[in-house]
Amino acid sequence: MARTAIKQAKKPGKQPTVAKDERLIRFYRQMLKIRLFEEEVNQLYLSARMPGLAHLYIGEEAIAVGVCEALRRDDYITSTHRGHGHCLAKGASVDKMFAELLGKEAGYCRGKGGSMHIADQDTGNLGANAIVAGSAGIATGAAMSAKMRGSQQVAVCFFGDGALGQGLLYETMNMASLWKFPVIYVCENNQYNEYTHYSETTAGDVTARAAAFGIHTASVDGQDVRAVHSTAVKLVNSARSGAGPAFLQCNTYRFHGHHVGDIDRAYYRSKKEEEEWKTQRDPVKLLADWLEKNKLADGKLFQRIENEVSAEIKAAVTFALNAPYPAADEVDKHVYA
């Protein structure tokens, strides 16, 4: 079992000062929450209690937490088909998340969005998107709005390495650079475009693509939440001050398949490769080990956090399973074309 933090609402404006060790413990708790949430999602699928598929974020938790912890509550994010981690890291509640996955009325989109279309405007989450790179225009538009209103808000656009093959991403980056929009493009490079290694589909250097538009770029170890967070803070503060967009590549790895039904992955990546990432590069364990080494936490604290988060997840699943479905006459409501 991986060892993940109680959500703290972030208010607009300057964030309160938090001791370094307290902040890192929160990072750990948040990552564990995402990990345990996703493990439960997989069980709901395997037990045929969840309709449709889900794309698990297990292995990539450090990116969502590291970036979202650098944001204000009123800052914006847009997400992807692998978006549960982003939703939770930005402040979504697990009970409404599970309700949405199960198609229940209590879900964030009243059960109509499902796994790949969860949105939560109260926390600045403008929505997940099943279309690869589909949210690039939404995030860039939100950043344009923030600049026009002078709100000092920042937008973050999360996307995978597969989005590097979509023209929309480059069109929006070009516009953002020209007009200095406060948007951060975060590429979660988990090495594979579905079932193909990105090196077979993506020519040249990833960050050089953004640099060609005059956008400041950075690349970090996406398994190290401390590195992701420290870099994200600099990029977000720069964008908020009016310096324009940035591009952050986070090198990471999805521990499970492309989706929950992708069980046998031997035909496109080796078991040895998977095992090395899981045992040596697990972001939750890496932070736990660092905290223990620096005497900021111990096994008792980790166990207490795991017990608390596990209880929260269990209660949320029970809530979602018992929640009612939306009424049949809602079928044509909240739907736009």
Side-chain angles (χ1 to χ4, degrees), residues 40-329:
E40 189 61 41
V41 169
N42 196 38
Q43 289 304 311
L44 288 170
Y45 169 76
L46 293 174
S47 61
R49 291 180 292 174
M50 184 184 76
L53 297 173
H55 302 75
L56 302 180
Y57 198 66
I58 293 175
E60 304 182 28
E61 297 91 346
I63 303 171
V65 173
V67 172
C68 288
E69 287 288 337
L71 300 175
R72 303 188 324 205
R73 182 179 176 88
D74 67 331
D75 286 332
Y76 300 114
I77 68 165
T78 60
S79 186
T80 70
H81 57 275
R82 198 178 308 283
H84 303 161
H86 309 136
C87 298
L88 291 169
K90 194 59 171 69
S93 62
V94 290
D95 52 358
K96 290 185 177 181
M97 289 279 288
F98 278 122
E100 186 60 37
L101 293 177
L102 296 177
K104 300 301 184 70
E105 183 182 9
Y108 275 107
C109 302
R110 300 182 67 81
K112 300 176 183 179
S115 173
M116 292 187 281
H117 297 93
I118 296 174
D120 177 21
Q121 294 186 21
D122 289 341
T123 60
N125 180 2
L126 301 180
N129 201 307
I131 305 301
V132 175
S135 67
I138 299 172
T140 307
M144 178 180 179
S145 168
K147 181 172 183 178
M148 293 177 69
R149 290 181 288 110
S151 65
Q152 291 193 313
Q153 291 166 286
V154 171
V156 170
C157 178
F158 290 103
F159 56 91
D161 44 285
L164 296 169
Q166 297 295 324
L168 175 61
L169 179 63
Y170 302 107
E171 294 175 37
T172 54
M173 285 199 297
N174 179 69
M175 181 183 295
S177 183
L178 284 171
W179 295 340
K180 293 192 178 300
F181 292 157
V183 56
I184 314 298
Y185 298 99
V186 179
C187 176
E188 298 179 307
N189 188 345
N190 64 20
Q191 314 303 307
Y192 290 89
N193 301 173
E194 216 168 308
Y195 312 119
T196 306
H197 195 274
Y198 84 98
S199 63
E200 298 180 45
T201 63
T202 309
D205 180 78
V206 169
T207 55
R209 297 179 174 217
F213 293 108
I215 294 176
H216 176 70
T217 67
S219 185
V220 297
D221 177 3
Q223 308 307 90
D224 183 348
V225 68
R226 294 182 301 118
V228 174
H229 180 69
S230 62
T231 303
V233 166
K234 295 174 184 176
L235 300 182
V236 168
N237 289 343
S238 177
R240 203 183 303 283
S241 69
F247 182 99
L248 175 61
Q249 176 181 216
C250 299
N251 295 300
T252 185
Y253 196 82
R254 52 174 165 80
F255 288 0
H256 286 250
H258 172 59
H259 55 71
V260 287
D262 178 18
I263 305 300
D264 181 13
R265 298 172 292 279
Y267 65 96
Y268 70 91
R269 67 187 201 188
S270 69
K271 296 296 183 183
K272 180 175 181 293
E273 177 184 290
E274 287 191 357
E275 192 62 21
E276 286 177 349
W277 278 89
K278 290 178 180 178
T279 57
Q280 301 174 29
R281 304 295 302 147
D282 184 334
V284 182
K285 186 176 186 302
L286 287 175
L287 179 58
D289 290 346
W290 188 90
L291 289 169
E292 283 193 291
K293 180 180 178 181
N294 289 274
K295 298 182 171 29
L296 297 174
D298 57 22
K300 290 182 179 179
L301 177 60
F302 293 136
Q303 189 60 59
R304 177 171 64 80
I305 292 174
E306 184 170 325
N307 291 343
E308 292 170 354
V309 175
S310 295
E312 183 183 1
I313 296 294
K314 182 178 179 180
V317 172
T318 299
F319 165 81
L321 288 171
N322 293 328
Y325 290 101
D329 61 8

Side-chain angles (χ1 to χ4, degrees), residues 4-25:
T4 136
I6 292 175
K7 174 188 68 179
Q8 288 188 350
K10 291 184 254 182
K11 299 179 180 179
K14 187 176 180 180
Q15 296 299 302
T17 301
V18 180
K20 181 178 180 181
D21 55 343
E22 182 182 339
R23 188 181 72 242
L24 291 173
I25 295 299

